Amino acid sequence: MTADPQVHVLPDADSLADAVADAFIKMATDAIDQRGRFIVSLSGGSTPKRLFRFLATKHKDSIDWSKVMFLFGDERDVPSDHEDSNFRMANETLLTPIGIDQPPIHRWQTELGDRDETARLYDKTIRSLKQPIDLTLLGLGDDCHTASLFPHTDALNESEQLAVANHVPQLGEWRYTMTFAAINASRNVMFLVTGSGKATAVNAVLNGKTDANARPAQAVKPRNGQLFWFIDTAAAAFWEAA
């Protein structure tokens, strides 16, 4: 049975990033001590960017980064050096600053020019781990999407593949994303949400009627893991604990 989410409300975006950094470090340390490596799936967006900068500066020496394996929960259909690339953002704010030689970084191979092959190879990468992802970081869109699992898109119904190319008609573009099959196999999943613009979505996902087709984030329910929400007071404006 899936446990209820643990919701943590922090005063602002900086204190949220600090709190998540502390949790990140503890999970990484425990995973490395117990299994020899820490597997983390990163997300894009402004809130993770703040977290990555905190980890790469004030917490740089708190983790043995050589034993951390990085994945990406989703990616835009752009080159890896494009300004909209989730990999580029993480590379500039975390991966390069921590200064590890040839770290185990698994990005989506968007340069292949074949969406199905890009998704197939990422599915293969996830399966090759032979163990659950230790921590999956997620954001939340104002339309209640998470990763690149947007409302009323085909990827929401994918139960076999762990990674797919997902057409998003409302954006008029393609995205790459891990599916719920991969996300819900994680040991820990964390939503990071800040800002008043997300307040309606936070309340809809946590307290609204369950409709994962319209509110995809509601389908994030780790089968054998823990689910955390870290939200700032602005994003929690309409949310009330049950």
Side-chain angles (χ1 to χ4, degrees):
M1 179 178 293
T2 303
D4 291 335
Q6 300 180 40
V7 181
H8 302 272
V9 180
L10 288 305
D12 52 40
D14 281 346
S15 57
L16 185 147
D18 259 334
V20 175
D22 288 342
F24 185 108
I25 292 165
K26 185 179 188 309
M27 289 180 185
T29 301
D30 289 347
I32 292 168
D33 288 345
Q34 296 169 19
R35 294 178 292 278
R37 65 176 176 173
F38 177 57
I39 306 171
V40 59
S41 174
L42 304 180
S43 62
S46 59
T47 304
K49 181 187 291 187
R50 183 178 280 102
L51 167 66
F52 298 163
R53 285 175 173 157
F54 278 24
L55 287 170
T57 53
K58 62 195 299 187
H59 300 293
K60 182 177 181 179
D61 298 325
S62 300
I63 297 173
D64 182 350
W65 294 104
S66 67
K67 296 180 179 178
V68 179
M69 177 177 290
F70 298 96
L71 293 92
F72 293 83
D74 72 318
E75 186 56 275
R76 292 169 171 81
D77 191 20
V78 296
S80 61
D81 60 353
H82 191 279
E83 62 181 1
D84 292 334
S85 166
N86 287 342
F87 167 76
R88 175 178 168 175
M89 184 276 283
N91 194 46
E92 291 178 347
T93 58
L94 175 63
L95 304 178
T96 295
I98 59 180
I100 299 176
D101 293 331
Q102 298 181 336
I105 301 168
H106 298 284
R107 65 172 180 83
W108 298 80
Q109 296 182 47
T110 55
E111 70 276 9
L112 295 179
D114 183 329
R115 297 187 184 101
D116 289 341
E117 181 66 2
T118 296
R120 186 192 71 79
L121 289 174
Y122 216 73
D123 179 278
K124 182 179 179 181
T125 293
I126 299 169
R127 294 180 191 277
S128 72
L129 301 176
K130 303 297 184 182
Q131 67 183 71
I133 296 170
D134 292 300
L135 172 61
T136 293
L137 298 174
L138 295 174
L140 180 71
D142 55 14
D143 61 353
C144 300
H145 84 268
T146 191
S148 280
L149 296 159
F150 285 81
H152 310 291
T153 55
D154 291 343
L156 303 184
N157 300 313
E158 179 57 59
S159 59
E160 299 297 327
Q161 299 303 310
L162 304 180
V164 297
N166 191 30
H167 185 241
V168 186
Q170 52 267 53
L171 298 179
E173 63 186 46
W174 285 83
R175 296 284 187 94
Y176 298 104
T177 188
M178 287 188 186
T179 63
F180 293 122
I183 293 170
N184 287 334
S186 304
R187 299 181 195 274
N188 300 280
V189 179
M190 284 186 188
F191 279 94
L192 281 57
V193 192
T194 58
S196 59
K198 303 295 179 67
T200 297
V202 167
N203 186 57
V205 172
L206 290 176
N207 287 337
K209 181 180 178 180
T210 300
D211 182 353
N213 201 40
R215 294 183 280 275
Q218 290 183 326
V220 176
K221 299 178 179 179
R223 293 187 294 276
N224 297 297
Q226 298 185 86
L227 176 59
F228 303 88
W229 282 75
F230 284 83
I231 55 182
D232 68 1
T233 52
F238 303 140
W239 172 78
E240 292 184 4

